[in-house]
Amino acid sequence: MQHDLIAQARTWLAEDPDPETRDELAALIEAGATQELAVRFAGTLQFGTAGLRGELGAGPMRMNRSVVIRAAAGLAAYLKAQGQDGGLVVIGYDARYKSADFARDTAAVMTGAGLRAAVLPRPLPTPVLAYAIRHLGAVAGVEVTASHNPPRDNGYKVYLGDGSQIVPPADGEIAAAIAAVGPLADVVRPENGWEVLGEDVLDAYLARTDAVLSAGSPRTARTVYTAMHGVGASVLTAAFERAGFPAPVLVAEQAEPDPAFPTVAFPNPEEPGAMDLAFATARRAAPDLIIANDPDADRCAVAVPDKAADGGWRMLRGDEVGALLAAHLVERGASGVFAESIVSSSLLGRIAEKAGLGYEETLTGFKWIARVDGLRYGYEEALGYCVDPEGVRDKDGITAALLVAELASVLKERGRTLLDLLDDLALAHGLHATDQLSVRVEDLTVIADAMARLREQPPTALAGLAVTSAEDLTRGTDRLPPTDGLRYHLEGARVIVRPSGTEPKLKCYLEVVVPVADAAGLPAARARGAELLAAIKRDLAAAAGI
């Protein structure tokens, strides 16, 4: 067994094109580090929610040039099998370790396979790549990014020609094509022959961002902005300048791309501590709101002044921003369909219904939301908003930020705030309070065991609320294809439990709806909502054994 493992590692080493991972793997073989080698050679990275994602390093279970070359060769073979020979593949990348290398390798493989490849001019937000696919008439796109994952991760996100991320059966067919790739020496990789796009593709995206705003709307909101050490700052500030908003005050320590993400434990605005520097900057600059992007700028986080909050600033939940943007679009006379994933707040459905708009629920991920027929607006609670589906069929943290700033400006002209509008929505539809129980694990069997335990012994009540229905989503529903998840409906509450598709986490999404008679009843409703969420979280953790 040990001998086989060493032989397998030596075979991989012989064809690894990257001196860095070759040295790393050679050292592991030399040291006889069989435990570490067993982890790295336990299989191959699999396509998940959005393609490949994993820790950088040598071996088939890590992100490296060998894995990327195989992924690119498999994607090329799939495209050619679909009759797309000679078609254009656009490639974007962020500023993480190895991102530029992975983008270059992908371009070389596509070119060698007889496709045309075009690489974005520099590290740019993921939504620019999603836009460029449709703008340039490409047959596919690849974005090299690990979004908001830890610094040692990278990823490979695949889009088809409609500008949306891959879904079944394409993902399975691409995975099969990757598995069929032979020795790396047989993958043709010329030194040149692909195009490096100019700034005009970014200019076209920026020109499109103006389309999300109403002509003549107020543009007075003052913002503090953090790029979270990612690639968003130059694009967001250019978009704000074009639109006529005051220039955002940048969180200087986090404004420039830095793959080490030195000021945050996890470069995700939702993680504890990630927004501390933004809050400190806001206390000095006294803006109307804080806007944060994640490192590839496809997500948008918002914080607002709140005297009752610690430090005077409060992060809005993704569900709150999702509802605010929906209300703003309704007031602007939007038509079409509003959509969200099943883990997001049911408030969007109520807003859509009252406005006489279509409403759809999808599985988790923008690869599903973006495919809704007639989509006008889609969002997901994890800070993802699609506000211009004709331009970008994915979440877009730049255009979402513009729309939030427009809404804040409209309210400011009326002497009101985003928190006032949230109160209006609670009075109109009931207080929708959401929270998440999220458990990061080292050992993935913890997640499997928790899901098995909940399936074998489903809870009959949580926080004293009876479970009125329990669905195992692996069987699918009349509206949803199968997925690994559980959904519980309670009296006045809803719970969904699912393994994350991009991180080693078990995620539980909680929502309670508390009726509110009048404005005087809002504080009590909020307290009741918080109390119920805490109790559901406690009881669910016990039921899942986590």
Side-chain angles (χ1 to χ4, degrees):
M1 181 71 181
Q2 185 175 329
H3 177 74
D4 289 350
L5 185 59
I6 297 292
Q8 200 181 349
R10 287 191 195 284
T11 302
W12 184 275
L13 177 65
E15 61 172 22
D16 188 339
D18 188 334
E20 201 175 312
T21 44
R22 267 207 314 273
D23 290 350
E24 182 188 319
L25 187 53
L28 290 171
I29 294 168
E30 183 69 26
T34 49
Q35 212 168 347
E36 179 62 20
L37 288 170
V39 171
R40 290 171 184 238
F41 286 84
T44 56
L45 279 184
Q46 296 299 307
F47 265 67
T49 300
L52 297 168
R53 202 177 287 186
E55 189 180 338
L56 290 163
M61 287 296 287
R62 295 284 185 266
M63 281 297 294
N64 51 64
R65 289 183 60 200
S66 297
V67 163
V68 164
I69 290 165
R70 287 181 179 281
L75 175 59
Y78 166 83
L79 292 171
K80 291 171 78 171
Q82 300 293 311
Q84 306 283 13
D85 208 349
L88 175 68
V89 179
V90 190
I91 301 149
Y93 59 103
D94 67 11
R96 284 176 177 266
Y97 296 118
K98 299 284 182 187
S99 286
D101 295 341
F102 295 166
R104 197 179 308 110
D105 282 330
T106 301
V109 171
M110 294 302 162
T111 305
L115 292 144
R116 291 180 297 127
V119 184
L120 292 184
R122 54 192 166 89
L124 286 167
T126 295
V128 177
L129 179 275
Y131 168 80
I133 294 166
R134 289 163 62 79
H135 175 64
L136 298 172
V139 299
V142 170
E143 175 71 19
V144 180
T145 181
S147 189
H148 58 281
N149 275 39
R152 287 301 303 167
D153 287 6
N154 213 328
Y156 198 81
K157 192 182 280 196
V158 177
Y159 297 75
L160 292 182
D162 62 354
S164 300
Q165 295 171 46
I166 51 170
V167 293
D171 55 357
E173 290 167 11
I174 294 168
I178 293 168
V181 173
L184 281 195
D186 295 347
V187 178
V188 180
R189 284 185 289 135
E191 290 294 314
N192 49 45
W194 56 89
E195 181 185 2
V196 177
L197 295 164
E199 292 292 316
D200 51 336
V201 69
L202 177 60
D203 292 341
Y205 167 80
L206 285 169
R208 177 83 203 184
T209 61
D210 298 353
V212 305
L213 302 174
S214 287
S217 62
R219 314 276 165 93
T220 54
R222 293 174 307 106
T223 57
V224 157
Y225 170 74
T226 175
M228 205 66 65
H229 298 297
V231 297
S234 64
V235 181
L236 182 130
T237 51
F240 270 56
E241 184 180 353
R242 284 182 65 102
F245 285 104
V249 175
L250 302 183
V251 177
E253 302 93 329
Q254 298 174 334
E256 293 302 315
D258 187 338
F261 301 105
T263 68
V264 289
F266 288 97
N268 178 353
E270 293 178 297
E271 293 282 348
M275 294 291 288
D276 288 356
L277 286 169
F279 293 147
T281 305
R283 283 192 282 274
R284 292 193 299 273
D288 299 304
L289 72 164
I290 298 171
I291 287 172
N293 286 141
D294 65 339
D296 68 326
D298 62 351
R299 287 176 167 82
C300 176
V302 180
V304 294
D306 184 352
K307 290 191 179 77
D310 244 8
W313 282 85
R314 172 160 93 80
M315 276 285 284
L316 297 181
R317 303 193 70 85
D319 283 319
E320 291 176 314
V321 176
L324 288 168
L325 290 179
H328 182 44
L329 290 170
V330 166
E331 185 177 320
R332 280 180 24 179
S335 58
V337 178
F338 283 7
E340 64 181 340
S341 61
I342 56 171
V343 299
S344 306
S345 171
S346 59
L347 177 55
L348 184 71
R350 292 184 169 93
I351 292 170
E353 184 183 12
K354 188 171 182 183
L357 298 175
Y359 168 73
E360 288 286 335
E361 244 187 356
T362 73
L363 292 185
T364 309
F366 271 81
K367 62 182 184 179
W368 299 108
I369 294 170
R371 284 185 157 74
V372 167
D373 282 345
L375 181 67
R376 173 59 187 89
Y377 166 64
Y379 98 90
E380 191 156 75
E381 56 71 49
L383 311 181
Y385 313 94
C386 175
V387 301
D388 176 25
E390 286 309 302
V392 175
R393 291 200 177 172
D394 199 4
K395 53 188 178 293
D396 182 346
I398 306 295
T399 48
L402 284 171
L403 204 60
V404 168
E406 179 183 65
L407 171 58
S409 301
V410 168
L411 292 168
K412 186 178 178 180
E413 300 274 299
R414 299 172 186 168
R416 307 186 78 234
T417 67
L418 295 174
L419 293 180
D420 293 330
L421 181 52
L422 284 173
D423 286 351
D424 293 351
L425 292 171
L427 292 171
H429 305 286
L431 178 82
H432 289 62
T434 58
D435 201 358
Q436 204 182 108
L437 170 62
S438 182
V439 183
R440 186 180 289 273
V441 300
E442 292 291 326
D443 178 2
L444 289 175
T445 60
V446 173
I447 294 175
D449 291 349
M451 294 298 287
R453 182 168 170 159
L454 288 170
R455 284 188 170 105
E456 286 157 19
Q457 297 172 291
T460 55
L462 295 167
L465 305 174
V467 174
T468 54
S469 72
E471 295 168 279
D472 187 340
L473 299 175
T474 50
R475 303 189 182 103
T477 73
D478 56 345
R479 305 298 298 273
L480 298 169
T483 186
D484 187 8
L486 299 163
R487 178 162 60 179
Y488 305 110
H489 288 285
L490 299 89
E491 290 167 357
R494 185 209 64 198
V495 172
I496 292 170
V497 184
R498 61 179 280 273
S500 169
T502 54
E503 298 175 271
K505 280 182 172 181
L506 181 68
K507 292 182 146 184
C508 310
Y509 304 85
L510 325 175
E511 178 178 49
V512 298
V513 183
V514 183
V516 195
D518 51 38
L522 279 168
R526 287 210 169 85
R528 176 63 177 153
E531 177 192 320
L532 283 171
L533 287 170
I536 291 172
K537 203 185 273 196
R538 183 193 63 230
D539 292 355
L540 185 62
I546 51 176

